[in-house]
Amino acid sequence: MIVRNWMQNDPLTIPSDMLASEAKRVLIDNNLNSLLVVDNGQLRGLVTRHNMMRMGHYVTRTQNPDEVSFFINRLRVRDIMVRNPATVNADDTMEHCLDYGKKLRVAQFPVIENGVVVGIISATEIFQLAAHLCRSLEAGTLGKAPRRQVSVQASQ
Protein backbone atom coordinates (compact mmCIF):
# COMPACT_ATOMS: atom_id res chain seq x y z
CA MET A 1 0.00 0.00 0.00
CA ILE A 2 1.45 3.31 -1.06
CA VAL A 3 0.71 6.83 0.14
CA ARG A 4 -0.55 7.95 -3.30
CA ASN A 5 -3.53 5.60 -3.01
CA TRP A 6 -4.61 6.91 0.40
CA MET A 7 -3.69 10.62 0.40
CA GLN A 8 -6.09 13.51 -0.07
CA ASN A 9 -5.33 14.89 -3.54
CA ASP A 10 -5.06 18.61 -4.32
CA PRO A 11 -5.17 19.86 -0.73
CA LEU A 12 -6.28 23.38 0.11
CA THR A 13 -3.26 25.68 0.43
CA ILE A 14 -2.79 29.18 1.75
CA PRO A 15 -0.07 31.83 1.33
CA SER A 16 2.25 32.72 4.21
CA ASP A 17 1.13 36.37 4.18
CA MET A 18 -2.53 35.49 4.91
CA LEU A 19 -3.85 36.78 8.22
CA ALA A 20 -3.87 34.06 10.87
CA SER A 21 -7.48 34.94 11.70
CA GLU A 22 -8.44 34.29 8.06
CA ALA A 23 -6.54 30.97 8.06
CA LYS A 24 -8.47 29.97 11.19
CA ARG A 25 -11.72 30.74 9.39
CA VAL A 26 -10.62 28.64 6.39
CA LEU A 27 -9.81 25.70 8.69
CA ILE A 28 -13.17 25.90 10.44
CA ASP A 29 -15.28 26.56 7.31
CA ASN A 30 -13.74 23.58 5.52
CA ASN A 31 -13.62 21.31 8.60
CA LEU A 32 -9.88 20.74 8.17
CA ASN A 33 -7.21 19.84 10.69
CA SER A 34 -4.38 21.49 8.80
CA LEU A 35 -3.53 23.76 5.90
CA LEU A 36 -0.41 23.68 3.79
CA VAL A 37 1.38 26.99 3.42
CA VAL A 38 2.64 27.40 -0.15
CA ASP A 39 4.36 30.42 -1.71
CA ASN A 40 5.26 30.47 -5.41
CA GLY A 41 4.63 26.74 -5.70
CA GLN A 42 6.98 25.87 -2.83
CA LEU A 43 5.91 24.32 0.46
CA ARG A 44 6.83 26.75 3.24
CA GLY A 45 4.97 25.40 6.23
CA LEU A 46 1.94 23.87 7.85
CA VAL A 47 -0.76 25.41 10.02
CA THR A 48 -2.79 23.11 12.23
CA ARG A 49 -6.13 23.56 13.93
CA HIS A 50 -4.36 22.79 17.21
CA ASN A 51 -1.89 25.66 16.69
CA MET A 52 -4.74 28.04 15.89
CA MET A 53 -6.81 27.01 18.88
CA ARG A 54 -3.82 27.32 21.19
CA MET A 55 -3.09 30.80 19.82
CA GLY A 56 -6.74 31.85 20.17
CA HIS A 57 -6.87 30.47 23.70
CA TYR A 58 -3.78 32.47 24.65
CA VAL A 59 -5.24 35.67 23.20
CA THR A 60 -8.59 35.27 24.97
CA ARG A 61 -6.91 34.47 28.29
CA THR A 62 -4.92 37.72 28.23
CA GLN A 63 -8.13 39.72 27.80
CA ASN A 64 -5.97 42.50 26.44
CA PRO A 65 -7.74 44.41 23.64
CA ASP A 66 -4.41 45.21 21.98
CA GLU A 67 -3.46 41.52 21.79
CA VAL A 68 -6.87 40.61 20.41
CA SER A 69 -6.55 43.36 17.81
CA PHE A 70 -3.05 42.16 16.88
CA PHE A 71 -4.27 38.58 16.49
CA ILE A 72 -7.19 39.60 14.30
CA ASN A 73 -5.60 42.36 12.22
CA ARG A 74 -1.83 41.84 12.03
CA LEU A 75 -0.68 38.31 12.90
CA ARG A 76 0.25 36.43 9.71
CA VAL A 77 0.39 32.72 8.94
CA ARG A 78 4.18 32.95 8.55
CA ASP A 79 4.36 34.02 12.22
CA ILE A 80 2.72 30.88 13.57
CA MET A 81 3.22 28.13 10.96
CA VAL A 82 5.37 25.07 11.44
CA ARG A 83 8.28 25.83 9.13
CA ASN A 84 9.73 23.16 6.86
CA PRO A 85 7.35 20.40 7.99
CA ALA A 86 8.31 16.77 7.62
CA THR A 87 7.00 15.32 4.37
CA VAL A 88 6.48 11.94 2.74
CA ASN A 89 6.74 11.01 -0.92
CA ALA A 90 3.74 9.87 -2.92
CA ASP A 91 5.48 6.54 -3.61
CA ASP A 92 6.38 5.84 0.04
CA THR A 93 4.65 2.90 1.69
CA MET A 94 1.92 3.47 4.23
CA GLU A 95 4.02 1.47 6.68
CA HIS A 96 6.83 4.04 6.30
CA CYS A 97 4.32 6.87 6.72
CA LEU A 98 2.90 5.36 9.91
CA ASP A 99 6.34 4.64 11.38
CA TYR A 100 7.55 8.14 10.50
CA GLY A 101 4.47 9.75 12.05
CA LYS A 102 4.92 7.72 15.21
CA LYS A 103 8.61 8.61 15.39
CA LEU A 104 7.98 12.35 14.92
CA ARG A 105 4.68 12.35 16.84
CA VAL A 106 2.80 14.12 14.05
CA ALA A 107 -0.64 13.41 12.63
CA GLN A 108 -0.29 14.76 9.10
CA PHE A 109 2.24 15.00 6.33
CA PRO A 110 2.35 17.00 3.14
CA VAL A 111 2.87 14.57 0.25
CA ILE A 112 5.54 15.53 -2.26
CA GLU A 113 6.26 14.30 -5.76
CA ASN A 114 9.12 15.76 -7.83
CA GLY A 115 9.41 18.66 -5.39
CA VAL A 116 5.74 19.64 -5.72
CA VAL A 117 2.97 19.25 -3.15
CA VAL A 118 0.47 16.73 -4.57
CA GLY A 119 -1.49 15.84 -1.46
CA ILE A 120 -1.72 15.51 2.27
CA ILE A 121 -2.08 12.44 4.43
CA SER A 122 -3.54 12.77 7.88
CA ALA A 123 -5.20 10.83 10.65
CA THR A 124 -8.42 10.86 8.59
CA GLU A 125 -6.79 8.84 5.81
CA ILE A 126 -5.09 6.58 8.35
CA PHE A 127 -8.51 5.76 9.84
CA GLN A 128 -9.79 4.98 6.34
CA LEU A 129 -6.87 2.60 5.88
CA ALA A 130 -7.55 0.97 9.26
CA ALA A 131 -11.23 0.52 8.37
CA HIS A 132 -10.23 -1.07 5.06
CA LEU A 133 -7.87 -3.47 6.83
CA CYS A 134 -10.50 -4.37 9.44
CA ARG A 135 -13.05 -5.16 6.72
CA SER A 136 -10.47 -7.32 4.97
CA LEU A 137 -9.70 -9.17 8.20
CA GLU A 138 -13.38 -9.76 8.89
CA ALA A 139 -13.89 -11.04 5.37
CA GLY A 140 -10.92 -13.34 5.85
CA THR A 141 -9.11 -12.00 2.80
CA LEU A 142 -6.16 -10.27 4.45
CA GLY A 143 -2.88 -12.13 4.52
CA LYS A 144 -4.29 -15.47 3.48
CA ALA A 145 -3.04 -17.47 0.58
CA PRO A 146 -5.71 -18.93 -1.68
CA ARG A 147 -6.93 -22.25 -0.35
CA ARG A 148 -5.94 -25.36 -2.24
CA GLN A 149 -8.39 -28.10 -2.91
CA VAL A 150 -7.20 -31.31 -1.33
CA SER A 151 -8.91 -34.51 -2.27
CA VAL A 152 -8.94 -37.25 0.28
CA GLN A 153 -9.62 -40.80 -0.74
CA ALA A 154 -11.32 -43.11 1.68
CA SER A 155 -9.19 -46.03 2.72
CA GLN A 156 -10.61 -49.51 2.35
mmCIF file of all heavy atoms in Angstrom, residues 90-114:
data_model
loop_
_atom_site.group_PDB
_atom_site.id
_atom_site.type_symbol
_atom_site.label_atom_id
_atom_site.label_comp_id
_atom_site.label_asym_id
_atom_site.label_seq_id
_atom_site.Cartn_x
_atom_site.Cartn_y
_atom_site.Cartn_z
ATOM 1 N N ALA A 90 4.951 10.542 -2.441
ATOM 2 C CA ALA A 90 3.741 9.868 -2.925
ATOM 3 C C ALA A 90 3.962 8.369 -3.092
ATOM 4 O O ALA A 90 3.028 7.581 -2.939
ATOM 5 C CB ALA A 90 3.275 10.490 -4.230
ATOM 6 N N ASP A 91 5.190 7.958 -3.386
ATOM 7 C CA ASP A 91 5.482 6.544 -3.606
ATOM 8 C C ASP A 91 5.975 5.817 -2.356
ATOM 9 O O ASP A 91 6.305 4.632 -2.424
ATOM 10 C CB ASP A 91 6.500 6.381 -4.735
ATOM 11 C CG ASP A 91 5.920 6.774 -6.082
ATOM 12 O OD1 ASP A 91 4.708 6.551 -6.293
ATOM 13 O OD2 ASP A 91 6.657 7.323 -6.911
ATOM 14 N N ASP A 92 6.019 6.505 -1.212
ATOM 15 C CA ASP A 92 6.376 5.840 0.043
ATOM 16 C C ASP A 92 5.278 4.849 0.430
ATOM 17 O O ASP A 92 4.118 5.019 0.064
ATOM 18 C CB ASP A 92 6.534 6.854 1.184
ATOM 19 C CG ASP A 92 7.833 7.636 1.106
ATOM 20 O OD1 ASP A 92 8.749 7.215 0.371
ATOM 21 O OD2 ASP A 92 7.935 8.673 1.786
ATOM 22 N N THR A 93 5.656 3.859 1.206
ATOM 23 C CA THR A 93 4.645 2.902 1.693
ATOM 24 C C THR A 93 3.894 3.512 2.869
ATOM 25 O O THR A 93 4.411 4.392 3.571
ATOM 26 C CB THR A 93 5.299 1.586 2.154
ATOM 27 O OG1 THR A 93 6.130 1.863 3.293
ATOM 28 C CG2 THR A 93 6.109 0.934 1.038
ATOM 29 N N MET A 94 2.699 3.020 3.077
ATOM 30 C CA MET A 94 1.922 3.466 4.229
ATOM 31 C C MET A 94 2.613 3.045 5.524
ATOM 32 O O MET A 94 2.543 3.759 6.521
ATOM 33 C CB MET A 94 0.497 2.915 4.158
ATOM 34 C CG MET A 94 -0.353 3.598 3.120
ATOM 35 S SD MET A 94 -0.527 5.388 3.365
ATOM 36 C CE MET A 94 -1.457 5.429 4.881
ATOM 37 N N GLU A 95 3.288 1.914 5.499
ATOM 38 C CA GLU A 95 4.025 1.469 6.679
ATOM 39 C C GLU A 95 5.078 2.501 7.056
ATOM 40 O O GLU A 95 5.215 2.879 8.227
ATOM 41 C CB GLU A 95 4.669 0.108 6.430
ATOM 42 C CG GLU A 95 5.423 -0.411 7.628
ATOM 43 C CD GLU A 95 6.069 -1.764 7.373
ATOM 44 O OE1 GLU A 95 6.097 -2.231 6.219
ATOM 45 O OE2 GLU A 95 6.547 -2.351 8.356
ATOM 46 N N HIS A 96 5.826 2.992 6.050
ATOM 47 C CA HIS A 96 6.829 4.035 6.304
ATOM 48 C C HIS A 96 6.161 5.289 6.865
ATOM 49 O O HIS A 96 6.647 5.884 7.832
ATOM 50 C CB HIS A 96 7.586 4.378 5.016
ATOM 51 C CG HIS A 96 8.374 5.645 5.123
ATOM 52 N ND1 HIS A 96 9.551 5.726 5.827
ATOM 53 C CD2 HIS A 96 8.115 6.899 4.653
ATOM 54 C CE1 HIS A 96 10.005 6.980 5.774
ATOM 55 N NE2 HIS A 96 9.145 7.695 5.069
ATOM 56 N N CYS A 97 5.049 5.685 6.280
ATOM 57 C CA CYS A 97 4.320 6.874 6.720
ATOM 58 C C CYS A 97 3.885 6.739 8.182
ATOM 59 O O CYS A 97 4.067 7.664 8.981
ATOM 60 C CB CYS A 97 3.110 7.097 5.804
ATOM 61 S SG CYS A 97 2.146 8.562 6.178
ATOM 62 N N LEU A 98 3.334 5.598 8.540
ATOM 63 C CA LEU A 98 2.897 5.364 9.914
ATOM 64 C C LEU A 98 4.072 5.365 10.890
ATOM 65 O O LEU A 98 3.999 5.969 11.962
ATOM 66 C CB LEU A 98 2.133 4.050 10.008
ATOM 67 C CG LEU A 98 0.780 4.028 9.309
ATOM 68 C CD1 LEU A 98 0.269 2.597 9.180
ATOM 69 C CD2 LEU A 98 -0.210 4.892 10.052
ATOM 70 N N ASP A 99 5.154 4.681 10.520
ATOM 71 C CA ASP A 99 6.336 4.642 11.384
ATOM 72 C C ASP A 99 6.939 6.035 11.562
ATOM 73 O O ASP A 99 7.333 6.414 12.666
ATOM 74 C CB ASP A 99 7.396 3.692 10.815
ATOM 75 C CG ASP A 99 7.020 2.235 10.947
ATOM 76 O OD1 ASP A 99 6.140 1.909 11.772
ATOM 77 O OD2 ASP A 99 7.606 1.409 10.205
ATOM 78 N N TYR A 100 6.991 6.789 10.480
ATOM 79 C CA TYR A 100 7.553 8.140 10.500
ATOM 80 C C TYR A 100 6.687 9.056 11.368
ATOM 81 O O TYR A 100 7.197 9.838 12.171
ATOM 82 C CB TYR A 100 7.653 8.653 9.065
ATOM 83 C CG TYR A 100 8.552 9.840 8.840
ATOM 84 C CD1 TYR A 100 9.745 10.012 9.532
ATOM 85 C CD2 TYR A 100 8.202 10.804 7.896
ATOM 86 C CE1 TYR A 100 10.566 11.097 9.295
ATOM 87 C CE2 TYR A 100 9.015 11.891 7.652
ATOM 88 C CZ TYR A 100 10.185 12.037 8.351
ATOM 89 O OH TYR A 100 10.994 13.125 8.116
ATOM 90 N N GLY A 101 5.374 8.955 11.223
ATOM 91 C CA GLY A 101 4.470 9.746 12.048
ATOM 92 C C GLY A 101 4.604 9.421 13.519
ATOM 93 O O GLY A 101 4.593 10.311 14.372
ATOM 94 N N LYS A 102 4.743 8.142 13.817
ATOM 95 C CA LYS A 102 4.918 7.716 15.213
ATOM 96 C C LYS A 102 6.238 8.244 15.769
ATOM 97 O O LYS A 102 6.295 8.753 16.882
ATOM 98 C CB LYS A 102 4.882 6.189 15.295
ATOM 99 C CG LYS A 102 4.990 5.651 16.692
ATOM 100 C CD LYS A 102 4.907 4.146 16.706
ATOM 101 C CE LYS A 102 5.125 3.596 18.098
ATOM 102 N NZ LYS A 102 5.151 2.136 18.094
ATOM 103 N N LYS A 103 7.285 8.147 14.966
ATOM 104 C CA LYS A 103 8.607 8.608 15.394
ATOM 105 C C LYS A 103 8.604 10.117 15.677
ATOM 106 O O LYS A 103 9.140 10.571 16.684
ATOM 107 C CB LYS A 103 9.634 8.286 14.315
ATOM 108 C CG LYS A 103 11.024 8.798 14.602
ATOM 109 C CD LYS A 103 11.969 8.495 13.460
ATOM 110 C CE LYS A 103 13.306 9.148 13.679
ATOM 111 N NZ LYS A 103 14.168 8.995 12.510
ATOM 112 N N LEU A 104 7.982 10.884 14.782
ATOM 113 C CA LEU A 104 7.981 12.347 14.916
ATOM 114 C C LEU A 104 6.826 12.875 15.765
ATOM 115 O O LEU A 104 6.790 14.058 16.089
ATOM 116 C CB LEU A 104 7.932 13.003 13.539
ATOM 117 C CG LEU A 104 9.091 12.712 12.604
ATOM 118 C CD1 LEU A 104 8.889 13.409 11.275
ATOM 119 C CD2 LEU A 104 10.420 13.119 13.241
ATOM 120 N N ARG A 105 5.867 11.981 16.070
ATOM 121 C CA ARG A 105 4.676 12.350 16.839
ATOM 122 C C ARG A 105 3.870 13.437 16.134
ATOM 123 O O ARG A 105 3.485 14.435 16.735
ATOM 124 C CB ARG A 105 5.067 12.753 18.253
ATOM 125 C CG ARG A 105 5.837 11.658 18.965
ATOM 126 C CD ARG A 105 6.095 11.974 20.371
ATOM 127 N NE ARG A 105 4.861 11.654 21.094
ATOM 128 C CZ ARG A 105 4.661 11.953 22.342
ATOM 129 N NH1 ARG A 105 5.568 12.588 23.022
ATOM 130 N NH2 ARG A 105 3.532 11.633 22.925
ATOM 131 N N VAL A 106 3.626 13.204 14.840
ATOM 132 C CA VAL A 106 2.802 14.119 14.046
ATOM 133 C C VAL A 106 1.654 13.347 13.416
ATOM 134 O O VAL A 106 1.742 12.141 13.197
ATOM 135 C CB VAL A 106 3.613 14.857 12.951
ATOM 136 C CG1 VAL A 106 4.684 15.734 13.574
ATOM 137 C CG2 VAL A 106 4.228 13.898 11.965
ATOM 138 N N ALA A 107 0.572 14.063 13.124
ATOM 139 C CA ALA A 107 -0.641 13.412 12.626
ATOM 140 C C ALA A 107 -0.924 13.705 11.159
ATOM 141 O O ALA A 107 -1.911 13.219 10.630
ATOM 142 C CB ALA A 107 -1.835 13.843 13.466
ATOM 143 N N GLN A 108 -0.081 14.502 10.512
ATOM 144 C CA GLN A 108 -0.288 14.760 9.096
ATOM 145 C C GLN A 108 1.028 15.094 8.412
ATOM 146 O O GLN A 108 1.928 15.624 9.039
ATOM 147 C CB GLN A 108 -1.282 15.893 8.857
ATOM 148 C CG GLN A 108 -0.931 17.225 9.460
ATOM 149 C CD GLN A 108 -1.519 17.415 10.836
ATOM 150 O OE1 GLN A 108 -2.599 16.942 11.112
ATOM 151 N NE2 GLN A 108 -0.818 18.094 11.704
ATOM 152 N N PHE A 109 1.069 14.722 7.145
ATOM 153 C CA PHE A 109 2.237 15.003 6.334
ATOM 154 C C PHE A 109 1.816 15.579 4.989
ATOM 155 O O PHE A 109 0.908 15.031 4.350
ATOM 156 C CB PHE A 109 3.017 13.715 6.006
ATOM 157 C CG PHE A 109 3.727 13.091 7.158
ATOM 158 C CD1 PHE A 109 3.257 11.916 7.716
ATOM 159 C CD2 PHE A 109 4.875 13.654 7.673
ATOM 160 C CE1 PHE A 109 3.914 11.305 8.762
ATOM 161 C CE2 PHE A 109 5.549 13.061 8.730
ATOM 162 C CZ PHE A 109 5.070 11.880 9.273
ATOM 163 N N PRO A 110 2.495 16.626 4.536
ATOM 164 C CA PRO A 110 2.347 17.001 3.140
ATOM 165 C C PRO A 110 2.961 15.879 2.295
ATOM 166 O O PRO A 110 3.959 15.268 2.689
ATOM 167 C CB PRO A 110 3.177 18.276 3.016
ATOM 168 C CG PRO A 110 3.314 18.785 4.424
ATOM 169 C CD PRO A 110 3.325 17.562 5.286
ATOM 170 N N VAL A 111 2.358 15.601 1.148
ATOM 171 C CA VAL A 111 2.867 14.567 0.251
ATOM 172 C C VAL A 111 3.501 15.262 -0.943
ATOM 173 O O VAL A 111 2.881 16.102 -1.606
ATOM 174 C CB VAL A 111 1.739 13.617 -0.205
ATOM 175 C CG1 VAL A 111 2.296 12.541 -1.124
ATOM 176 C CG2 VAL A 111 1.048 12.996 0.999
ATOM 177 N N ILE A 112 4.745 14.887 -1.221
ATOM 178 C CA ILE A 112 5.543 15.531 -2.258
ATOM 179 C C ILE A 112 5.836 14.550 -3.380
ATOM 180 O O ILE A 112 6.081 13.374 -3.138
ATOM 181 C CB ILE A 112 6.891 16.026 -1.666
ATOM 182 C CG1 ILE A 112 6.671 16.913 -0.439
ATOM 183 C CG2 ILE A 112 7.742 16.712 -2.712
ATOM 184 C CD1 ILE A 112 5.985 18.210 -0.719
ATOM 185 N N GLU A 113 5.828 15.071 -4.607
ATOM 186 C CA GLU A 113 6.265 14.298 -5.765
ATOM 187 C C GLU A 113 7.010 15.244 -6.688
ATOM 188 O O GLU A 113 6.473 16.274 -7.086
ATOM 189 C CB GLU A 113 5.064 13.675 -6.475
ATOM 190 C CG GLU A 113 5.469 12.755 -7.618
ATOM 191 C CD GLU A 113 4.284 11.991 -8.170
ATOM 192 O OE1 GLU A 113 3.263 12.624 -8.485
ATOM 193 O OE2 GLU A 113 4.396 10.756 -8.267
ATOM 194 N N ASN A 114 8.256 14.917 -6.992
ATOM 195 C CA ASN A 114 9.118 15.757 -7.828
ATOM 196 C C ASN A 114 9.195 17.188 -7.315
ATOM 197 O O ASN A 114 9.150 18.149 -8.081
ATOM 198 C CB ASN A 114 8.641 15.745 -9.281
ATOM 199 C CG ASN A 114 8.673 14.356 -9.880
ATOM 200 O OD1 ASN A 114 9.599 13.580 -9.632
ATOM 201 N ND2 ASN A 114 7.656 14.027 -10.645
#
